[in-house]
Amino acid sequence: MKIWAALSEAFKGWVAIVRGDADWARHFTISAAGLATALILFLFFALLSVALATADVGIPNFFGLIIALLVQSLSILALYLGILITRKIMPGEISLMRLMVPGVYALIAYLIAGTILSLIAGPVLILLWIGLAFLLFSLGRQAGGWTIGVAAAFAVLTMVLLVGMPVTLYMALGPVAAPTP
C-alpha cells in the first residue's frame, strides 16, 4: 500500500505548503525515486481519467489511448517549463526536485478533481484553475523561496502553459485523441 501512503503524505505535504509550514518537505520524497513515484501515479490517474471521460462512447483504441495520455502529460511539461523559465530568470540555486515532486502531486489532484468536475459541472473548472494557480503560487513561495511577485509570475506562467499547450496542440492537429468508433 505504498501508493496510498505516498498520496496521503503528499496531501499532508500540500496542507503544510499552503499553511506555510517550514517542514513541508518531510512529507515528500524529494529524489529521483520520489519523482518517479509521482509520475507513475500521475499516469495511472491520467489513464483512469481517460477511461472515465470516454466511458459513454467507448475507450479509444491503443493509439488513441497513447495520444490521450500524452496530451494529459503536457501538464507535467508545463510545470517543468514553468520551473525552468523561472529558475533561469531568478538568480540562485533552487532544486528542481523540490519543486517538481510536490508539483506533480498537485497536478494529480488537479487531474482527479478536473475529471470529476467535468463529469458533473464543466463550467466549475475555472474555479479549479484558480485553485491550482494558488497551489503553484504556494509552491513557489515555500519550495522556491521566491518573493510574492516571482511566485505569482511562476503560477501565471505555468497556468498559461498548462492551458495553452493542449489548446495549441488541438488547434494544430485537431481531435487526434478522440475515440474512433
Side-chain angles (χ1 to χ4, degrees):
M1 285 290 147
K2 278 187 157 186
I3 291 172
W4 298 117
L7 290 173
S8 174
E9 282 300 308
F11 178 77
K12 291 174 190 174
W14 268 104
V15 169
I17 287 172
V18 170
R19 286 185 180 166
D21 294 345
D23 68 340
W24 63 269
R26 71 181 174 88
H27 296 286
F28 297 98
T29 305
I30 309 290
S31 67
L35 181 59
T37 301
L39 292 172
I40 289 168
L41 286 170
F42 180 88
L43 289 175
F44 170 75
F45 284 108
L47 182 62
L48 189 62
S49 170
V50 170
L52 287 174
T54 60
D56 58 338
V57 293
I59 295 180
N61 60 24
F62 180 74
F63 180 72
L65 193 60
I66 295 299
I67 295 296
L69 288 175
L70 287 173
V71 169
Q72 290 284 356
S73 297
L74 286 176
S75 59
I76 295 170
L77 180 61
L79 174 66
Y80 179 71
L81 291 174
I83 292 168
L84 283 185
I85 292 169
T86 307
R87 283 178 60 202
K88 192 72 124 172
I89 293 171
M90 291 306 301
E93 286 296 316
I94 307 292
S95 168
L96 179 66
M97 289 293 176
R98 270 180 75 83
L99 292 158
M100 279 299 291
V101 173
V104 172
Y105 281 107
L107 293 176
I108 291 169
Y110 169 74
L111 183 63
I112 293 168
T115 300
I116 294 168
L117 287 176
S118 68
L119 294 173
I120 299 170
V124 180
L125 289 174
I126 293 172
L127 294 175
L128 185 61
W129 288 344
I130 293 169
L132 181 60
F134 176 74
L135 290 179
L136 292 171
F137 169 79
S138 299
L139 179 67
R141 292 284 291 150
Q142 287 298 111
W146 295 322
T147 63
I148 292 173
V150 173
F154 162 69
V156 168
L157 171 65
T158 306
M159 290 304 296
V160 166
L161 290 169
L162 182 76
V163 174
M165 286 192 318
V167 170
T168 303
L169 183 65
Y170 182 81
M171 289 177 3
L173 300 177
V176 295
T180 56

